[in-house]
Amino acid sequence: MHNNYNEIKQYLDAHQVKLIAVSKTKPVEMIQEVFANGQMDFGENRVQELSEKATMLPKEIRWHMIGHLQKNKVKYIAPFIHLIHSVDSVELLAEINKQAVKNNRIIPCLLQIHIAEEETKFGFDKDELLALFNSNAIVEMKNVRIDGLMGMATLTNNQEQIRKEFRGLKMLFEQLKKLYFQNKNSFTQLSMGMSSDYIIAVEEGATMVRIGSLIFGERH
Ligand SMILES: *Cc1c(COP(=O)(O)O)cnc(C)c1O
């Protein structure tokens, strides 16, 4: 595990890309080991598992929510979540804002974009995104900060297709940044790439990658 971790970390550091270690289904002992290696950012995809692990592990850990988030569960992670990568609807964003107000904090969010061919993946498409930015909805949500975009490529061995999808996401990111975030320091993060495709993602401009099985081993 550590050989993999150090190798991946070195590569990502050289490219100034942040590593989110995806620890879903893995025991806290394994997280502690990786944390002891200096890793601070961990990602989970289920609210209950994330919350339980957060109470058992060091407070310095920065927790990232990367999976589909139900509105009624936002309240459990709102007090401490570091970044929500998987905001896939305006309604969810509004609920995160509401819970952020209650907790007197600003919650950083990424908007998840549907880039894969598969019908099942959650996320906004480009038109929905433009509609959101052109409405006043985002401006009125003062307790969420839109830090950027997240996307998952199609599960395929076709490297060129994966590259094309990441490249398209990067272009959309740059376009939105120019249109809506000029002269602002926000909207700087592009979360794309997992164990099987993170090198392509880095080559195509990811600022964060989410890696699970390469660090923690296969999930069962
Ligand atoms: C599980 C998961 C990952 C990590 O997947 P690996 O293939 O194990 O690296 C990344 N992103 C999301 C959204 C996930 O659910």
Side-chain angles (χ1 to χ4, degrees), residues 22 24 45 66 150 152 194-196 210-213 219:
V22 176
K24 64 190 185 196
N45 69 338
I66 63 169
M150 183 273 248
M152 272 189 280
M194 338 202 315
S195 291
S196 58
R210 311 173 308 272
I211 299 182
S213 46
R219 291 177 297 273

Side-chain angles (χ1 to χ4, degrees), residues 172-189:
L172 178 61
F173 172 73
E174 292 299 340
Q175 195 182 354
L176 293 170
K177 192 175 169 66
K178 207 165 140 195
L179 278 172
Y180 301 104
F181 295 90
Q182 230 165 23
N183 307 320
K184 294 189 184 136
N185 288 327
S186 50
F187 211 76
T188 56
Q189 302 302 322

Side-chain angles (χ1 to χ4, degrees), residues 19-127:
L19 171 61
I20 316 301
V22 176
S23 48
K24 64 190 185 196
T25 77
K26 300 297 179 181
V28 290
E29 292 74 21
M30 286 182 85
I31 300 175
Q32 249 151 352
E33 252 183 272
V34 178
F35 175 73
N37 251 29
Q39 178 65 26
M40 300 295 290
D41 293 271
F42 290 87
E44 291 279 340
N45 69 338
R46 293 178 57 241
V47 165
Q48 193 182 343
E49 186 175 346
L50 192 161
S51 306
E52 282 172 9
K53 285 173 173 173
T55 61
M56 295 163 77
L57 284 157
K59 289 281 161 274
E60 306 94 287
I61 288 183
R62 299 187 288 252
W63 291 102
H64 296 248
M65 178 63 191
I66 63 169
H68 178 61
L69 177 55
Q70 287 171 283
K71 287 201 292 285
N72 62 352
K73 295 194 173 161
V74 174
K75 57 179 176 284
Y76 300 115
I77 57 172
F80 66 91
I81 197 75
H82 181 70
L83 178 63
I84 300 176
H85 293 232
S86 43
V87 177
D88 57 9
S89 72
V90 183
E91 293 74 23
L92 176 59
L93 192 63
E95 176 63 20
I96 295 169
N97 185 66
K98 184 175 148 193
Q99 297 300 331
V101 170
K102 276 192 190 168
N103 285 278
N104 192 27
R105 63 180 295 234
I106 289 174
I107 298 182
C109 294
L110 304 179
L111 301 176
Q112 183 173 351
I113 310 304
H114 184 272
I115 56 170
E117 266 184 353
E118 293 123 4
E119 277 300 320
T120 53
K121 295 262 163 80
F122 293 102
F124 293 90
D125 62 32
K126 188 177 170 178
D127 291 341

